[in-house]
Amino acid sequence: QVQLVESGGGLVQAGDSLRLSCAASGRTFSNYLMGWFRQAEGKEREFVAAINWNGGRTYYADSVKGRFTISRDNTKNTVYLQMNSLNPDDTAVYYCAALSTGSYWKPNDYAAWGQGTQVTVSS
């Protein structure tokens, strides 16, 4: 099993940028497709972005397309989420997750999760 630890969250103003990081340890990082999800208070966890094992394919939710960029560095066992043009609707706890088999947009298919990092965007 891979262990995941997110970092980089914080309080920002609308229009600002943040970069989230997710460091992996344990099983071979490059075996996994990596995803970012978020969960706002009172709402279900939703898919944000995913990246395949070598970074050759990326996937985004429509709500973040053009503003967020997912990337990974397999030499550092880390996946990133660059978030630009943040708005209050992006406020949520952000989670990274590892998928070995299944559908990238389905949270229940992911095998491992980090503890989450809070992102708060003020207007």
Side-chain angles (χ1 to χ4, degrees), residues 57-113:
R57 288 198 169 188
T58 57
Y59 311 90
Y60 296 95
D62 287 344
S63 59
V64 307
K65 205 171 290 184
R67 299 189 298 123
F68 291 11
T69 302
I70 189 171
S71 61
R72 67 191 295 164
D73 185 342
N74 287 347
T75 67
K76 297 181 178 179
N77 289 352
T78 302
V79 62
Y80 305 97
L81 186 68
Q82 177 67 43
M83 306 186 294
N84 298 331
S85 302
L86 286 161
N87 62 65
D89 289 341
D90 296 317
T91 295
V93 178
Y94 283 72
Y95 300 88
C96 71
L99 177 73
S100 59
T101 182
S103 302
Y104 67 83
W105 64 90
K106 294 182 179 179
N108 287 345
D109 284 359
Y110 283 73
W113 291 84

Side-chain angles (χ1 to χ4, degrees), residues 33-51:
L33 177 147
M34 297 298 297
W36 284 97
F37 288 76
R38 66 187 181 187
Q39 188 166 18
E41 191 170 348
K43 295 187 177 181
E44 293 187 354
R45 192 168 298 190
E46 65 173 358
F47 168 75
V48 174
I51 187 167

